[in-house]
Amino acid sequence: MRVKGGSTTRQRRKTIKRKVEGAWGTKHTSYKIARQTLLRSADYAYRDRKARKRDFRKLWNTRINAAVRALGYNYSTFINSLHKAKIVINRKMLSELAINNPDAFKTLVTKVMGK
């Protein structure tokens, strides 16, 4: 006996279309193009989850460099001195310290750089 799958097919297509609801033009109305849009958006999302981590690390490095240069040193020698002093603190925390608590950051820099 033949089974008509109309309602199941419609449900499947509706879920795909719902996921690309904000897309412009045919991308959210046509099922075929909506599916392609969804696949592409998933690729972008995956790629950019990785890129976000790189972007934040760059931002933290820039902030640390700016704060250290204001004290008369540069980023690379500061990070090298941190490693030599066996002080384990990540760049995110260093950046936050430089922004929110400049006095503590200055104390850390002077202690590490040896002045």
Side-chain angles (χ1 to χ4, degrees):
M1 176 182 229
R2 178 170 171 254
V3 177
K4 293 168 69 177
S7 60
T8 309
T9 303
R10 190 168 53 252
Q11 274 184 325
R12 185 177 65 245
R13 290 179 179 177
K14 272 176 79 171
T15 57
I16 297 281
K17 285 183 181 182
R18 239 184 260 123
K19 288 178 181 176
V20 292
E21 199 172 347
W24 190 83
T26 313
K27 289 182 176 184
H28 79 280
T29 55
S30 166
Y31 168 71
K32 189 175 182 179
I33 297 172
R35 195 176 71 226
Q36 293 170 359
T37 303
L38 190 65
L39 289 171
R40 182 166 294 142
S41 70
D43 284 344
Y44 290 151
Y46 177 78
R47 178 197 70 191
D48 292 339
R49 278 195 298 274
K50 309 297 174 195
R52 185 188 313 132
K53 294 166 181 60
R54 293 193 296 267
D55 290 343
F56 270 112
R57 186 173 168 114
K58 275 196 274 187
L59 174 67
W60 298 329
N61 290 348
T62 305
R63 286 176 176 174
I64 294 167
N65 188 27
V68 170
R69 280 186 186 276
L71 300 173
Y73 304 105
N74 67 15
Y75 174 81
S76 61
T77 55
F78 172 64
I79 293 296
N80 187 32
S81 300
L82 271 178
H83 288 300
K84 285 180 180 174
K86 292 187 173 43
I87 297 175
V88 180
I89 181 169
N90 63 20
R91 285 161 175 79
K92 181 180 179 180
M93 290 300 115
L94 280 171
S95 158
E96 288 294 316
L97 196 64
I99 291 169
N100 298 325
N101 199 345
D103 296 332
F105 185 76
K106 185 176 181 179
T107 307
L108 176 69
V109 171
T110 52
K111 180 182 177 189
V112 168
M113 298 308 276
K115 283 190 178 179

